[in-house]
CSV table of all heavy atoms in Angstrom, one decimal:
chain,number,residue,atom,x,y,z
A,93,ARG,N,7.8,25.3,8.1
A,93,ARG,CA,7.7,26.4,9.1
A,93,ARG,C,9.1,26.8,9.6
A,93,ARG,O,9.4,27.9,9.8
A,93,ARG,CB,6.8,26.0,10.2
A,93,ARG,CG,5.4,25.6,9.7
A,93,ARG,CD,4.4,25.7,10.8
A,93,ARG,NE,4.8,25.2,12.1
A,93,ARG,CZ,4.1,25.3,13.2
A,93,ARG,NH1,3.0,26.1,13.2
A,93,ARG,NH2,4.6,24.8,14.4
A,94,VAL,N,9.9,25.7,10.0
A,94,VAL,CA,11.2,26.0,10.5
A,94,VAL,C,12.1,25.1,9.7
A,94,VAL,O,11.8,24.5,8.8
A,94,VAL,CB,11.2,25.7,12.0
A,94,VAL,CG1,10.4,26.7,12.8
A,94,VAL,CG2,10.9,24.3,12.3
A,95,LYS,N,13.4,25.0,10.2
A,95,LYS,CA,14.4,24.2,9.5
A,95,LYS,C,13.9,22.8,9.3
A,95,LYS,O,13.4,22.2,10.3
A,95,LYS,CB,15.7,24.2,10.3
A,95,LYS,CG,16.7,23.4,9.7
A,95,LYS,CD,18.0,23.4,10.7
A,95,LYS,CE,19.1,22.4,10.1
A,95,LYS,NZ,20.2,22.4,11.0
A,96,GLU,N,14.0,22.3,8.1
A,96,GLU,CA,13.5,20.9,7.9
A,96,GLU,C,14.7,20.0,7.7
A,96,GLU,O,15.8,20.5,7.3
A,96,GLU,CB,12.6,20.9,6.6
A,96,GLU,CG,13.3,21.2,5.3
A,96,GLU,CD,13.2,22.7,5.0
A,96,GLU,OE1,12.8,23.5,5.9
A,96,GLU,OE2,13.6,23.1,3.8
A,97,GLY,N,14.5,18.8,7.9
A,97,GLY,CA,15.6,17.8,7.7
A,97,GLY,C,15.3,16.8,6.6
A,97,GLY,O,14.1,16.7,6.2
A,98,ASN,N,16.3,16.0,6.2
A,98,ASN,CA,16.1,15.0,5.1
A,98,ASN,C,16.6,13.6,5.5
A,98,ASN,O,16.5,12.7,4.7
A,98,ASN,CB,16.7,15.5,3.9
A,98,ASN,CG,16.1,16.8,3.3
A,98,ASN,OD1,14.9,16.8,3.0
A,98,ASN,ND2,16.9,17.9,3.3
A,99,ASP,N,17.1,13.5,6.7
A,99,ASP,CA,17.7,12.2,7.0
A,99,ASP,C,16.7,11.3,7.6
A,99,ASP,O,16.7,10.9,8.8
A,99,ASP,CB,18.8,12.5,8.1
A,99,ASP,CG,19.7,11.2,8.3
A,99,ASP,OD1,19.7,10.3,7.5
A,99,ASP,OD2,20.4,11.2,9.4
A,100,TYR,N,15.8,10.8,6.8
A,100,TYR,CA,14.7,9.9,7.2
A,100,TYR,C,14.7,8.7,6.3
A,100,TYR,O,15.1,8.8,5.1
A,100,TYR,CB,13.4,10.6,7.3
A,100,TYR,CG,13.4,11.9,8.1
A,100,TYR,CD1,13.3,13.1,7.4
A,100,TYR,CD2,13.7,11.9,9.4
A,100,TYR,CE1,13.4,14.3,8.2
A,100,TYR,CE2,13.8,13.1,10.2
A,100,TYR,CZ,13.6,14.3,9.5
A,100,TYR,OH,13.7,15.4,10.3
A,101,PRO,N,14.1,7.6,6.7
A,101,PRO,CA,14.1,6.4,5.8
A,101,PRO,C,12.9,6.5,4.8
A,101,PRO,O,12.7,5.5,4.1
A,101,PRO,CB,13.9,5.2,6.8
A,101,PRO,CG,13.2,5.9,7.9
A,101,PRO,CD,13.7,7.3,8.1
A,102,PHE,N,12.2,7.6,4.8
A,102,PHE,CA,11.1,7.8,3.9
A,102,PHE,C,11.2,9.2,3.3
A,102,PHE,O,11.9,10.1,3.8
A,102,PHE,CB,9.7,7.6,4.6
A,102,PHE,CG,9.7,8.2,6.0
A,102,PHE,CD1,9.5,9.6,6.2
A,102,PHE,CD2,9.9,7.4,7.1
A,102,PHE,CE1,9.5,10.1,7.4
A,102,PHE,CE2,9.9,8.0,8.4
A,102,PHE,CZ,9.7,9.3,8.5
A,103,SER,N,10.4,9.4,2.2
A,103,SER,CA,10.4,10.8,1.6
A,103,SER,C,9.6,11.7,2.4
A,103,SER,O,8.6,11.4,2.9
A,103,SER,CB,9.8,10.7,0.2
A,103,SER,OG,10.6,9.9,-0.7
A,104,VAL,N,10.1,13.0,2.5
A,104,VAL,CA,9.3,14.0,3.2
A,104,VAL,C,9.2,15.2,2.2
A,104,VAL,O,10.2,15.7,1.7
A,104,VAL,CB,10.0,14.5,4.5
A,104,VAL,CG1,9.2,15.6,5.2
A,104,VAL,CG2,10.3,13.3,5.4
A,105,TYR,N,7.9,15.6,2.0
A,105,TYR,CA,7.6,16.8,1.2
A,105,TYR,C,7.3,18.0,2.1
A,105,TYR,O,6.4,17.9,2.9
A,105,TYR,CB,6.4,16.5,0.2
A,105,TYR,CG,6.8,15.5,-0.9
A,105,TYR,CD1,6.7,14.2,-0.7
A,105,TYR,CD2,7.1,16.0,-2.2
A,105,TYR,CE1,6.9,13.3,-1.7
A,105,TYR,CE2,7.4,15.1,-3.2
A,105,TYR,CZ,7.3,13.8,-3.0
A,105,TYR,OH,7.6,12.9,-4.0
A,106,TYR,N,8.0,19.1,1.9
A,106,TYR,CA,7.8,20.2,2.7
A,106,TYR,C,7.1,21.3,1.8
A,106,TYR,O,7.6,21.7,0.8
A,106,TYR,CB,9.0,20.8,3.3
A,106,TYR,CG,9.8,19.9,4.2
A,106,TYR,CD1,10.9,19.2,3.8
A,106,TYR,CD2,9.3,19.7,5.5
A,106,TYR,CE1,11.6,18.4,4.6
A,106,TYR,CE2,10.0,18.9,6.4
A,106,TYR,CZ,11.1,18.2,5.9
A,106,TYR,OH,11.8,17.4,6.8
A,107,ILE,N,5.9,21.7,2.2
A,107,ILE,CA,5.1,22.6,1.4
A,107,ILE,C,5.1,24.0,2.1
A,107,ILE,O,4.7,24.1,3.3
A,107,ILE,CB,3.6,22.1,1.2
A,107,ILE,CG1,3.6,20.8,0.5
A,107,ILE,CG2,2.9,23.1,0.4
A,107,ILE,CD1,2.3,20.2,0.3
A,108,LYS,N,5.5,25.0,1.3
A,108,LYS,CA,5.5,26.4,1.9
A,108,LYS,C,4.2,27.0,1.7
A,108,LYS,O,3.6,27.1,0.6
A,108,LYS,CB,6.6,27.2,1.1
A,108,LYS,CG,6.8,28.6,1.7
A,108,LYS,CD,7.9,29.3,0.9
A,108,LYS,CE,8.1,30.7,1.4
A,108,LYS,NZ,9.2,31.4,0.7
A,109,PRO,N,3.6,27.5,2.8
A,109,PRO,CA,2.3,28.2,2.7
A,109,PRO,C,2.4,29.6,2.3
A,109,PRO,O,3.5,30.2,2.3
A,109,PRO,CB,1.8,28.1,4.2
A,109,PRO,CG,3.0,28.2,5.0
A,109,PRO,CD,4.1,27.4,4.2
A,110,PRO,N,1.3,30.2,1.9
A,110,PRO,CA,1.4,31.7,1.6
A,110,PRO,C,1.7,32.5,2.8
A,110,PRO,O,1.3,32.0,3.9
A,110,PRO,CB,0.0,32.0,1.0
A,110,PRO,CG,-0.9,30.9,1.6
A,110,PRO,CD,0.0,29.7,1.7
A,111,PHE,N,2.3,33.6,2.7
A,111,PHE,CA,2.6,34.5,3.9
A,111,PHE,C,3.4,33.6,4.8
A,111,PHE,O,3.0,33.4,6.0
A,111,PHE,CB,1.3,35.0,4.5
A,111,PHE,CG,0.4,35.7,3.5
A,111,PHE,CD1,-0.8,35.1,3.1
A,111,PHE,CD2,0.7,37.0,3.0
A,111,PHE,CE1,-1.6,35.7,2.3
A,111,PHE,CE2,-0.1,37.6,2.2
A,111,PHE,CZ,-1.3,37.0,1.8
A,112,HIS,N,4.6,33.2,4.4
A,112,HIS,CA,5.4,32.2,5.1
A,112,HIS,C,5.7,32.7,6.6
A,112,HIS,O,5.8,31.9,7.5
A,112,HIS,CB,6.7,31.9,4.4
A,112,HIS,CG,7.5,30.8,5.0
A,112,HIS,ND1,7.0,29.6,5.3
A,112,HIS,CD2,8.8,30.8,5.3
A,112,HIS,CE1,7.9,28.8,5.8
A,112,HIS,NE2,9.0,29.6,5.9
A,113,SER,N,5.9,34.0,6.7
A,113,SER,CA,6.2,34.5,8.1
A,113,SER,C,5.1,34.3,9.1
A,113,SER,O,5.3,34.4,10.3
A,113,SER,CB,6.6,36.0,8.0
A,113,SER,OG,5.5,36.8,7.5
A,114,LEU,N,3.8,34.1,8.6
A,114,LEU,CA,2.7,33.9,9.4
A,114,LEU,C,2.1,32.5,9.1
A,114,LEU,O,0.9,32.3,9.2
A,114,LEU,CB,1.6,35.0,9.2
A,114,LEU,CG,2.0,36.4,9.5
A,114,LEU,CD1,0.9,37.4,9.1
A,114,LEU,CD2,2.2,36.6,11.0
A,115,SER,N,3.0,31.5,8.9
A,115,SER,CA,2.6,30.2,8.4
A,115,SER,C,1.7,29.5,9.3
A,115,SER,O,0.9,28.7,8.9
A,115,SER,CB,3.8,29.4,8.1
A,115,SER,OG,4.5,29.1,9.3
A,116,ILE,N,1.7,29.8,10.6
A,116,ILE,CA,0.9,29.0,11.5
A,116,ILE,C,-0.6,29.4,11.3
A,116,ILE,O,-1.5,28.6,11.6
A,116,ILE,CB,1.3,29.3,13.0
A,116,ILE,CG1,0.6,28.3,13.9
A,116,ILE,CG2,0.9,30.7,13.4
A,116,ILE,CD1,1.1,28.3,15.3
A,117,LEU,N,-0.9,30.5,10.7
A,117,LEU,CA,-2.2,31.0,10.5
A,117,LEU,C,-2.8,30.6,9.2
A,117,LEU,O,-4.0,30.6,9.0
A,117,LEU,CB,-2.3,32.5,10.7
A,117,LEU,CG,-1.8,33.1,12.0
A,117,LEU,CD1,-1.9,34.6,11.9
A,117,LEU,CD2,-2.7,32.6,13.1
A,118,PHE,N,-2.0,30.2,8.2
A,118,PHE,CA,-2.5,29.9,6.9
A,118,PHE,C,-2.2,28.5,6.4
A,118,PHE,O,-1.2,27.9,6.7
A,118,PHE,CB,-1.8,30.9,5.9
A,118,PHE,CG,-2.1,32.3,6.1
A,118,PHE,CD1,-1.4,33.1,6.9
A,118,PHE,CD2,-3.2,32.9,5.6
A,118,PHE,CE1,-1.7,34.4,7.2
A,118,PHE,CE2,-3.6,34.2,5.7
A,118,PHE,CZ,-2.8,35.0,6.5
A,119,PRO,N,-3.2,27.9,5.8
A,119,PRO,CA,-3.1,26.5,5.3
A,119,PRO,C,-2.2,26.5,4.0
A,119,PRO,O,-2.1,27.5,3.3
A,119,PRO,CB,-4.5,26.1,5.0
A,119,PRO,CG,-5.2,27.4,4.7
A,119,PRO,CD,-4.6,28.4,5.6
A,120,VAL,N,-1.6,25.4,3.8
A,120,VAL,CA,-1.0,25.2,2.5
A,120,VAL,C,-2.1,25.0,1.4
A,120,VAL,O,-3.2,24.7,1.7
A,120,VAL,CB,-0.1,24.0,2.5
A,120,VAL,CG1,1.1,24.2,3.5
A,120,VAL,CG2,-0.8,22.7,2.8
Side-chain angles (χ1 to χ4, degrees):
R93 302 199 318 170
V94 296
K95 179 183 177 183
E96 65 269 10
N98 295 300
D99 189 21
Y100 308 113
F102 42 79
S103 296
V104 181
Y105 288 85
Y106 298 102
I107 301 180
K108 184 177 179 180
F111 308 104
H112 186 52
S113 61
L114 297 172
S115 64
I116 194 170
L117 301 176
F118 293 93
V120 299

